[in-house]
C-alpha cells in the first residue's frame, strides 16, 4: 500500500521539480543510489521495471526507503500494462510512470488513487491521458518529440497541462533553465545523473552533489 497519497506525491514532484530515473539489478547498488539522491535533496524517485526479477529489487528498495529515507516517495517506471502496474502497487509504489499511455493502467491506478504519468508524444495523447485522470503527463522521449519548444507549444492551447520532460534532460544550469522556462512542471533524469564511473566506484557523494546542484538550478530557473 502506498505510504503517500496522490496529492502528497504530485505536490512533492511539482515542488522539487525533478524525479531521478534509475534501474539496477543489484539491490545494494540501488539502495546506495537511492540514499545518495535522498542526501542530495531528492524526494521522489522512479525505479524502472527494466530487467528480469526487477520486482524483487523494488520490494527491497521500498523497505529500505521506509526505514532509511522516510521522506522519499518511491515510484515505479517503464510500466506498459495493467497487471504489472497492479503488481507494483501491491508492493507499495506511490506513483506509476510509463513510456506510453495505456487506459487500462489508468483505471488500475485511479482505483487506488495512485498518480499515473504516461508517456505522450502528441497533444492528442496528452488530452486523452488527461481525460483518463492523468494529472501529470510525461513527454517522451522529450528531446525527440520537440524539446522545450514542444512544451511551449503545448502550454499555449493547454495552459493547465502539467508536463514532465524525460529524455534529453541534463543536470546543467543551461539545460534545466531551458526546460523550466518552457513551462514543465518537472523533469525526469536518468543516466546523466548517474555517471557509470561514479556508480562503479561507489562515489555516492558525487551523485548527491549532482542532485543538489540540479535542484538548485531548478529553483533558480523558477524565479
Amino acid at each position: 500500500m502506498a505510504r503517500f497519497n496522490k496529492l502528497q506525491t504530485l505536490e512533492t514532484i511539482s515542488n522539487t521539480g525533478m524525479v531521478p530515473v534509475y534501474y539496477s539489478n543489484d539491490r545494494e547498488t540501488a539502495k546506495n543510489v537511492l540514499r545518495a539522491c535522498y542526501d542530495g535533496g531528492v524526494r521522489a524517485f522512479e525505479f524502472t521495471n527494466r530487467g528480469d526479477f526487477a520486482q524483487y529489487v523494488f520490494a527491497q528498495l521500498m523497505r529500505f526507503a521506509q526505514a532509511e529515507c522516510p521522506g522519499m516517495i518511491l515510484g515505479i517506471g517503464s510500466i506498459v500494462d495493467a497487471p504489472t502496474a497492479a503488481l507494483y502497487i501491491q508492493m507499495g509504489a506511490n506513483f506509476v510512470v510509463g513510456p506510453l499511455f495505456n487506459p487500462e493502467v489508468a483505471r488500475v491506478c485511479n482505483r487506488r488513487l495512485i498518480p499515473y504519468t504516461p508517456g505522450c508524444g502528441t497533444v492528442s495523447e496528452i488530452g486523452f491521458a488527461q481525460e483518463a485522470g492523468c494529472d501529470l503527463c510525461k513527454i517522451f522521449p522529450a528531446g525527440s518529440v520537440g524539446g522545450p519548444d514542444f512544451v511551449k507549444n503545448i502550454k499555449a492551447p493547454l495552459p493547465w497541462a502539467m508536463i514532465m520532460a524525460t529524455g534529453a534532460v541534463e543536470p546543467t544550469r543551461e539545460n534545466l533553465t531551458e526546460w523550466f522556462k518552457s513551462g514543465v512542471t518537472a523533469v525526469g533524469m536518468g543516466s546523466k545523473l548517474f555517471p557509470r564511473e561514479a556508480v562503479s566506484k561507489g562515489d555516492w557523494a558525487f551523485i548527491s552533489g549532482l542532485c543538489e546542484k540540479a535542484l538548485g538550478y531548478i529553483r533558480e530557473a523558477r524565479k
Side-chain angles (χ1 to χ4, degrees):
M1 181 175 176
R3 291 193 303 125
F4 299 89
N5 65 42
K6 187 175 186 178
L7 294 179
Q8 288 174 314
T9 299
L10 291 173
E11 184 178 28
T12 298
I13 292 174
S14 178
N15 287 345
T16 59
M18 184 177 78
V19 179
V21 179
Y22 184 75
Y23 170 76
S24 174
N25 60 6
D26 183 82
R27 300 176 188 183
E28 294 308 312
T29 299
K31 290 176 184 178
N32 284 320
V33 166
L34 182 74
R35 168 73 76 128
C37 290
Y38 190 71
D39 290 345
V42 169
R43 290 299 179 266
F45 186 97
E46 175 189 335
F47 183 77
T48 59
N49 178 51
R50 291 187 180 175
D52 292 337
F53 309 110
Q55 67 269 27
Y56 297 114
V57 180
F58 181 82
Q60 292 292 318
L61 201 59
M62 180 60 72
R63 294 189 182 96
F64 176 79
Q66 292 175 356
E68 303 294 332
C69 307
M72 182 66 88
I73 300 177
L74 181 59
I76 186 67
S78 298
I79 300 300
V80 299
D81 58 73
T84 306
L87 170 67
Y88 280 100
I89 289 173
Q90 188 64 26
M91 289 191 289
N94 294 283
F95 59 93
V96 174
V97 182
L100 51 80
F101 169 56
N102 184 334
E104 294 298 325
V105 175
R107 276 188 275 273
V108 167
C109 291
N110 287 340
R111 189 174 292 118
R112 295 283 288 271
L113 295 183
I114 301 293
Y116 171 43
T117 298
C120 302
T122 67
V123 176
S124 293
E125 287 181 339
I126 291 170
F128 293 143
Q130 289 172 336
E131 288 176 4
C134 302
D135 298 280
L136 179 67
C137 293
K138 178 175 76 169
I139 57 168
F140 179 80
S144 299
V145 301
D149 285 341
F150 181 60
V151 178
K152 291 178 184 178
N153 290 329
I154 290 171
K155 299 285 284 189
L158 307 178
W160 56 83
M162 297 173 62
I163 303 296
M164 180 167 74
T166 303
V169 179
E170 301 176 6
T172 65
R173 177 181 279 109
E174 294 76 17
N175 184 274
L176 290 171
T177 297
E178 190 173 14
W179 280 113
F180 279 88
K181 292 301 183 184
S182 75
V184 298
T185 297
V187 294
M189 201 178 322
S191 59
K192 298 293 185 180
L193 203 57
F194 310 111
R196 185 173 299 177
E197 184 177 357
V199 173
S200 63
K201 289 183 177 180
D203 191 352
W204 312 122
F206 182 80
I207 292 175
S208 295
L210 279 180
C211 291
E212 188 174 0
K213 287 179 181 178
L215 291 171
Y217 297 148
I218 291 170
R219 288 191 293 269
E220 288 179 8
R222 284 174 159 173
K223 291 181 180 178

